[in-house]
Amino acid sequence: MTTVNVVSLLLIIGIILVMFLEKLDGRDEVIGTKLRIFNSDKEEWNFPNFFYILLIYGIIAIRFIGLGNIPGGFNQDGAMGAVDALALAEYGTDRFGTWLPAHFTAWGYGQMSVLLSYLTVPFIKLWGLNSVTARLPMLIVSLAGASAVYRIVKELFSTKAATIALLFLAINPWHFMQSRWALDCNVFPHMFIIGLCFLIIGMRKKYGIYLSMIFFALCMYSYGVSFYMVPTFLLFAAIILLLAKKVTWKQLLIACAIYFGLAFPIYGTMLINFMKWDTVSLPFVTMPYFKDSIRTNDMLFFSEQPFRQLLANINSLIRVVFLQKPDLIWNAIDDFGTMYQCSIPLVLVGIGITFYNAKHEKNLEKKTINKMLLTYWGCSVFVGICINSVNVNRINIIFYSHIIFAGIAIYYVVKKWRSIALVFFIIYSIQSALFFNRYFTVWADQMEDIFYEDFLDAVEFAGNQECDYYYITPDTQYEGSANVSEILTMFAQQIDAEYYQGKTNQYRGAQISYADRYRFKNPEMEEINAEQKTAYVIKSENLSNYDLNLFKVKRFDNYCVVMPAQYAEW
């Protein structure tokens, strides 16, 4: 894979260097061969209509392959969002009983954004809670984000340029991977890019400005860093639009009213927690106070040594985004990164082209779009610097801008030298073929352990036995991680929120309270009882603690379900 990356990178750098040398030389030749240069006002190359149909079908189809099974298992944060979505679907509360919360309590010490869970509710209502319904909303908003990229590039250049950007997005590792597992913060970039798309449309059709405010407001319910990103971007965007006379003060005030009208509950929640006020409950939303929050520790502004942390943050941003060094395995696959390691020169060229067009473009509307793209990118970099030790999902807001920039660069090169399109096609065909092969094979196998597939299977099986008591190992994420074991159990067994809260003691064949029935601990020897209908979900390595003459075992690779033989019906 290293050889493929190096060759791909050298080819792309070579193409870029030749293009700039030709530009500086004032000639239109490559290796002595005269090639057509396309006039930007009249392009002479077209994609057939069926190509667009195949492209859209391909983007959708490949993202649906094995959606419920790959990645195997389920991430603990995604499981928590799904459990809260189930509670919302059934009772209009989170699993703790908070009515329509603007922000989730989640782990208690660390909170969670709510938008993905609210988006999951209709799918749970239709088809129940499972890995597909929990992941489907993320996939759908990812496809909506892809459509927004297409429309933005089309507004900026042409249908051809938009198609190239969409092709690049179709095989982009980051866009593909994040669309297939349910993590709340990954909704943020999609809401933002859709908002940006409508904002651009709004320069000609004013309803677009008002629609954009809906999606920018939804960003605030997607990820905490949106509080640094979205208001900053909107401030600069307002200045750009006012100077370009693309928006009036009246329209700006209406847009602000829409944005704050929809976002005030989450702003109120942040203010309540900053001021340490009591929870505020309204008929349509709850703005909760979290006394044990530690989330501010993730931000530069709250660091004990801000200058040292700033340097560390810049280093992390460069490593993760521009050098594409190895990250968390569920965010990016080594050797491929977020957008293939050979693509960064194209991103840098695209940034340069956008800077040039922002200054020299004669069409005022397109000039304004270029400025907003740069503002979007600059605000994304700002976010990356503000977050301590950034990783891929924490800086997810930047990747749509990089996809657009790379698409712009490829468009400019192909527009100048049509035959170079074959080189790009070969490079990215090889890269994407290797990526998808790794994703659906080696990576998929690795993720089964990382996303607790064996544990979830064991807990689900145990739940179907409708036992009086459950002892469930806390050694999942790490030794003693009872919180993780509990939330994964709630997901696998779809535990009723009111049963969890203690409002009812009747659930799954027993009349025992949740607190008494579920024990997230490794049982002591005296707690192992062959006469009681109890299921023990344990790590396979601890099986020697059980007398197999008295107990029956169901194995799930790294985990086992152990039950008294007289009650085991398998």
Side-chain angles (χ1 to χ4, degrees):
M1 188 61 211
T2 302
T3 302
V4 173
N5 282 333
V6 170
V7 172
S8 300
L9 180 62
L10 290 175
L11 280 171
I12 288 176
I13 291 175
I15 290 169
I16 293 169
L17 286 176
V18 171
M19 184 178 74
F20 277 102
L21 288 173
E22 291 292 322
K23 182 74 173 177
L24 292 173
D25 239 6
R27 295 183 292 114
D28 299 324
E29 298 181 23
V30 183
I31 318 178
T33 304
K34 186 86 171 183
L35 295 175
R36 182 188 302 272
I37 299 178
F38 292 91
N39 184 288
S40 60
D41 296 325
K42 185 179 180 181
E43 296 174 350
E44 301 178 19
W45 49 295
N46 291 284
F47 295 109
N49 289 333
F50 75 84
F51 180 85
Y52 297 107
I53 297 173
L54 288 175
L55 175 56
I56 299 300
Y57 175 78
I59 291 174
I60 296 173
I62 198 168
R63 280 159 173 72
F64 268 98
I65 296 174
L67 180 64
N69 302 318
I70 301 175
F74 223 82
N75 169 264
Q76 66 270 21
D77 288 329
M80 181 176 294
V83 167
D84 282 328
L86 179 63
L88 286 168
E90 294 180 343
Y91 304 109
T93 71
D94 68 1
R95 70 186 189 280
F96 296 108
T98 303
W99 173 255
L100 297 178
H103 208 56
F104 284 141
T105 303
W107 301 106
Y109 58 84
Q111 288 71 58
M112 179 181 287
S113 299
V114 300
L115 181 58
L116 181 59
S117 294
Y118 280 101
L119 293 176
T120 307
V121 168
F123 299 97
I124 292 175
K125 286 284 192 181
L126 288 171
W127 300 299
L129 176 61
N130 53 62
S131 59
V132 174
T133 55
R135 289 172 175 170
L136 198 54
M138 181 62 71
L139 190 147
I140 291 172
V141 297
S142 296
L143 294 173
S147 300
V149 167
Y150 179 87
R151 181 60 184 267
I152 290 170
V153 180
K154 182 179 179 181
E155 291 283 337
L156 191 57
F157 293 103
S158 65
T159 300
K160 288 83 175 178
T163 303
I164 289 173
L166 191 58
L167 269 169
F168 187 78
L169 181 146
I171 59 169
N172 178 266
W174 166 77
H175 193 272
F176 180 81
M177 291 181 70
Q178 60 76 36
S179 71
R180 291 172 55 87
W181 66 289
L183 183 64
D184 62 308
C185 67
N186 281 334
V187 178
F188 177 35
H190 308 301
M191 293 297 108
F192 186 91
I193 201 69
I194 296 170
L196 179 60
C197 178
F198 279 116
L199 190 61
I200 289 169
I201 292 171
M203 289 193 293
R204 285 184 288 102
K205 301 176 181 179
K206 297 309 176 186
Y207 70 84
I209 293 175
Y210 307 135
L211 284 176
S212 74
M213 292 302 114
I214 295 174
F215 290 97
F216 286 128
L218 290 176
C219 287
M220 314 311 295
Y221 300 95
S222 303
Y223 193 18
V225 300
S226 60
F227 284 89
Y228 298 88
M229 168 72 180
V230 176
T232 306
F233 170 80
L234 290 178
L235 174 62
F236 283 108
I239 294 171
I240 291 169
L241 290 170
L242 283 170
L243 292 175
K245 298 182 179 179
K246 293 294 182 181
V247 66
T248 66
W249 280 103
K250 179 181 178 181
Q251 292 164 343
L252 188 62
L253 290 173
I254 294 173
C256 288
I258 295 171
Y259 171 75
F260 285 109
L262 293 172
F264 90 85
I266 188 63
Y267 276 106
T269 301
M270 296 303 111
L271 180 61
I272 285 168
N273 283 272
F274 181 77
M275 299 300 295
K276 301 186 184 303
W277 293 338
D278 292 334
T279 293
V280 174
S281 298
L282 300 174
F284 55 89
V285 71
T286 300
M287 295 176 278
Y289 169 63
F290 309 109
K291 65 178 181 178
D292 298 320
S293 178
I294 62 170
R295 281 303 189 190
T296 53
N297 294 346
D298 295 337
M299 304 308 297
L300 172 66
F301 307 111
F302 301 97
S303 300
E304 294 181 359
Q305 296 179 309
F307 181 72
R308 179 178 293 181
Q309 189 65 57
L310 173 63
L311 296 179
N313 291 357
I314 293 172
N315 179 63
S316 296
L317 178 66
I318 292 171
R319 285 178 56 83
V320 170
V321 175
F322 294 96
L323 299 181
Q324 301 188 70
K325 295 294 184 180
D327 191 70
L328 301 170
I329 188 173
W330 48 84
N331 283 330
I333 299 177
D334 293 355
D335 297 324
F336 299 100
T338 53
M339 54 191 309
Y340 304 115
Q341 294 177 354
C342 61
S343 301
I344 292 302
L346 293 170
V347 173
L348 298 177
V349 170
I351 293 171
I353 291 170
T354 307
F355 266 108
Y356 181 87
N357 289 343
K359 184 176 181 180
H360 298 287
E361 174 65 58
K362 294 179 181 179
N363 183 302
L364 180 58
E365 188 172 301
K366 292 185 177 182
K367 188 173 186 176
T368 304
I369 296 173
N370 279 289
K371 289 180 179 179
M372 285 201 288
L373 271 179
L374 290 174
T375 301
Y376 161 32
W377 179 72
C379 290
S380 301
V381 173
F382 169 70
V383 165
I385 293 172
C386 290
I387 301 174
N388 296 343
S389 304
V390 72
N391 58 28
V392 168
N393 62 273
R394 289 185 169 193
I395 191 59
N396 53 25
I397 189 62
I398 203 170
F399 296 116
Y400 267 129
S401 66
H402 281 193
I403 289 169
I404 292 172
F405 290 139
I408 289 171
I410 294 172
Y411 167 68
Y412 265 75
V413 173
V414 174
K415 182 179 172 184
K416 183 175 178 64
W417 305 316
R418 187 190 300 183
S419 57
I420 297 299
L422 179 61
V423 179
F424 283 124
F425 177 79
I426 293 172
I427 289 173
Y428 284 109
S429 292
I430 294 172
Q431 290 276 355
S432 60
L434 292 170
F435 166 74
F436 288 121
N437 178 67
R438 178 87 65 87
Y439 178 91
F440 286 109
T441 56
V442 175
W443 183 86
D445 291 339
Q446 293 174 315
M447 291 306 297
E448 289 178 0
D449 287 338
I450 294 171
F451 275 6
Y452 319 104
E453 183 174 60
D454 297 344
F455 177 79
L456 288 165
D457 289 343
V459 168
E460 182 178 7
F461 177 82
N464 291 334
Q465 309 311 307
E466 297 189 347
C467 295
D468 294 335
Y469 300 97
Y470 293 92
Y471 280 89
I472 299 173
T473 178
D475 304 333
T476 44
Q477 185 180 27
Y478 46 79
E479 188 173 342
S481 57
N483 285 345
V484 174
S485 295
E486 182 175 34
I487 202 65
L488 293 172
T489 299
M490 293 186 71
F491 174 76
Q493 296 190 7
Q494 301 184 26
I495 291 177
D496 180 80
E498 292 197 345
Y499 180 63
Y500 173 70
Q501 296 161 30
K503 292 182 178 179
T504 177
N505 289 336
Q506 186 168 345
Y507 186 68
R508 282 204 173 195
Q511 294 188 7
I512 306 169
S513 72
Y514 173 85
D516 288 336
R517 192 178 191 186
Y518 287 88
R519 303 169 187 189
F520 296 93
K521 57 178 290 189
N522 292 316
E524 303 292 337
M525 293 302 296
E526 61 269 18
E527 294 175 310
I528 299 175
N529 188 343
E531 301 301 321
Q532 196 175 59
K533 191 177 182 182
T534 302
Y536 303 88
V537 179
I538 63 170
K539 283 207 160 184
S540 297
E541 61 201 47
N542 296 325
L543 187 58
S544 59
N545 294 336
Y546 297 83
D547 184 348
L548 298 186
N549 293 315
L550 301 175
F551 291 89
K552 198 170 181 180
V553 179
K554 179 74 173 179
R555 297 177 183 270
F556 297 87
D557 291 336
N558 295 322
Y559 295 87
C560 294
V561 176
V562 182
M563 282 185 62
Q566 60 179 314
Y567 296 114
E569 298 180 358
W570 63 82

